Amino acid sequence: MTPVLRRMQARDPHQGHRISTQLELLFDLVIVIAIAALTAGFHHAISANHGPEMLPNFGFMFMALWWSWMNFTWFASSFDNDDPLYRLLVLVTMTGTLIFAGGIGYIFETLDFSLGLVGWIVMRIGMVALWLRAAAHNPALRRTCLRYALGLVVAQSLWVALSLGIAPGTGLFIGLGMAVFAVEFLVPIWAEKAGRTAFHRHHILERYGLLTIIVLGEVLLAVAMTFGSLFEGALDPALLQVGLAAIVIVFSYWWIYFAEQQHLVRDGFAQTFVWGYGHLFIFAAIALMGAGLAAQFDLLTGHSKAAPQVVGWFIGGPLALALLALWVVRDRYMSMGARRFSLPVGAAAILTATALTNQPLIFAALMVATLLWRVPMTPSEGHHP
């Protein structure tokens, strides 16, 4: 008879047909809700002509959401045994994330974590319990798992102290908050020095790919909003152009990102660290672009107080960042001749176009050019690490 509770032993990193579980997809749904709320809040901030001043708040909140997803995703790739206790602890973690996500709009405006902190603590309880259970069942990785658990407790204690001791929304709060994030980001580096946890490469690639699609969905939401307005009155060529340009931008970036399965061509700690952490800039940049395109829609329909140049920078700037970040985490490790430089050149061209024109159609054309340069269009033009 199979026991109800199983040992939480490290999973085989070479296991065949390892895919995302339904529980992981449910966790992603929570992240979808949170990112959508944050992006909507920043879209309205841009249209109210508060985009530049609210950008630090967006970055602060996006890092928090991404980090909660990161903590769970990498743990699951290493130790998911899918027994009832594992599921319950993940559901606790998910509940904490959902409590935090419920206050995204308010926290984004004020950086007041007083209630959101409750959700953060609940989330930590679930993750610490998971790491302690892994420590109990994996003697070779005991020190590593205990370091993760201790690091989470220390980081959470710092967040509590910050929230109770510093007025929210101030420059000091943001500065010290970034310092606490630095502590958070250092925990895995410190923990892995005691013994590396094994992750499943194809599973991690799928998990990151799914989150990339989630944030691209924020851009598609802006596109749908743009096309939706066409049903409310006469056909507006300017709105149609923005909608079509946004579609081309999304499809081009999707094609470039998923051009091949050569992400993480090496599994050394340095490249894994750069790839795993560097995706923060990809995810955040795409979400920012979604907010910028929604603000462009407001601009064309007379519902924006922002200058066209400002709105344009919230489209072209994030798009260039998304290309450059993808080059940093993937393409610079690959040997593919001149194609290796397509993304930074494309990013530079888009930044130049942003400074000169601020036209989404120009951004779309440059994305197509970057796609044609970067991606092999015939089976014989494969890429090799």
Side-chain angles (χ1 to χ4, degrees):
M1 180 177 179
T2 304
V4 175
L5 298 182
R6 298 186 292 273
R7 293 179 60 82
M8 185 179 279
Q9 293 179 318
R11 299 212 29 178
D12 179 6
H14 304 293
Q15 175 187 349
H17 308 292
R18 177 83 187 275
I19 61 174
S20 297
T21 66
Q22 286 80 5
L23 187 59
E24 288 173 315
L25 297 178
L26 186 61
F27 194 98
D28 286 353
L29 182 59
V30 175
I31 299 300
V32 170
I33 294 169
I35 292 178
L38 179 59
T39 304
F42 193 63
H43 149 219
H44 294 306
I46 297 172
S47 294
N49 203 26
H50 298 306
E53 63 193 75
M54 294 300 288
L55 185 58
N57 292 37
F58 175 89
F60 200 91
M61 294 301 299
F62 198 94
M63 275 195 291
L65 293 174
W66 165 78
W67 191 241
S68 66
W69 179 86
M70 277 274 289
N71 274 254
F72 166 68
T73 294
W74 286 86
F75 179 90
S77 190
S78 298
F79 296 107
D80 178 4
N81 69 349
D82 200 35
D83 72 353
L85 182 54
Y86 172 82
R87 291 187 175 192
L88 286 173
L89 291 175
V90 171
L91 292 174
V92 168
T93 303
M94 198 182 305
T95 299
T97 305
L98 191 57
I99 293 171
F100 182 76
I104 284 293
Y106 173 77
I107 301 172
F108 169 69
E109 292 287 343
T110 64
L111 288 186
D112 181 358
F113 281 83
S114 54
L115 291 177
L117 193 63
V118 175
W120 206 248
I121 291 172
V122 172
M123 180 185 70
R124 299 293 198 178
I125 291 172
M127 285 306 307
V128 169
L130 286 168
W131 280 113
L132 291 177
R133 191 178 181 208
H137 296 162
N138 296 270
L141 293 171
R142 178 178 173 81
R143 288 183 62 205
T144 301
C145 296
L146 290 177
R147 283 189 178 192
Y148 271 109
L150 177 60
L152 290 176
V153 171
V154 170
Q156 186 58 51
S157 300
L158 291 175
W159 284 119
V160 172
L162 177 64
S163 298
L164 296 179
I166 305 296
T170 61
L172 180 60
F173 182 93
I174 293 177
L176 291 177
M178 294 303 294
V180 179
F181 271 126
V183 173
E184 295 264 18
F185 299 163
L186 287 172
V187 168
I189 299 174
W190 173 62
E192 294 289 327
K193 286 185 177 180
R196 286 194 63 184
T197 54
F199 64 92
H200 193 287
R201 177 178 176 272
H202 293 288
H203 174 253
I204 282 293
L205 293 182
E206 182 186 16
R207 300 295 298 129
Y208 273 70
L210 288 171
L211 190 56
T212 300
I213 291 173
I214 285 172
V215 290
L216 284 173
E218 297 304 318
V219 185
L220 292 176
L221 183 61
V223 174
M225 183 170 63
T226 300
F227 286 151
S229 68
L230 299 177
F231 291 87
E232 300 173 4
L235 182 66
D236 186 334
L239 283 174
L240 185 60
Q241 286 181 12
V242 170
L244 292 175
I247 287 177
V248 172
I249 289 170
V250 170
F251 290 174
S252 297
Y253 194 86
W254 170 85
W255 200 330
I256 291 170
Y257 185 92
F258 293 102
E260 54 206 316
Q261 296 300 317
Q262 294 300 336
H263 286 256
L264 276 177
V265 294
R266 305 181 187 92
D267 62 358
F269 182 78
Q271 184 183 350
T272 302
F273 174 83
V274 170
W275 188 86
Y277 279 50
H279 266 74
L280 167 63
F281 299 96
I282 295 176
F283 300 145
I286 296 173
L288 275 173
M289 184 172 59
L293 284 166
Q296 180 76 17
F297 162 76
D298 287 347
L299 189 66
L300 293 174
T301 55
H303 296 92
S304 175
K305 299 179 181 178
Q309 295 81 4
V310 173
V311 176
W313 275 108
F314 280 111
I315 302 172
L319 180 56
L321 176 59
L323 287 175
L324 189 59
L326 184 56
W327 179 81
V328 169
V329 304
R330 185 189 69 185
D331 281 15
R332 70 189 181 99
Y333 294 103
M334 302 181 67
S335 300
M336 51 185 179
R339 292 182 187 274
R340 186 184 183 194
F341 304 103
S342 57
L343 300 191
V345 172
I350 288 170
L351 285 177
T352 302
T354 304
L356 295 177
T357 68
N358 289 314
Q359 294 297 320
L361 275 178
I362 302 298
F363 302 154
L366 290 171
M367 280 298 294
V368 171
T370 303
L371 168 65
L372 292 173
W373 182 8
R374 169 61 180 82
V375 179
M377 292 298 159
T378 63
S380 62
E381 296 184 70
H383 298 154
H384 302 282

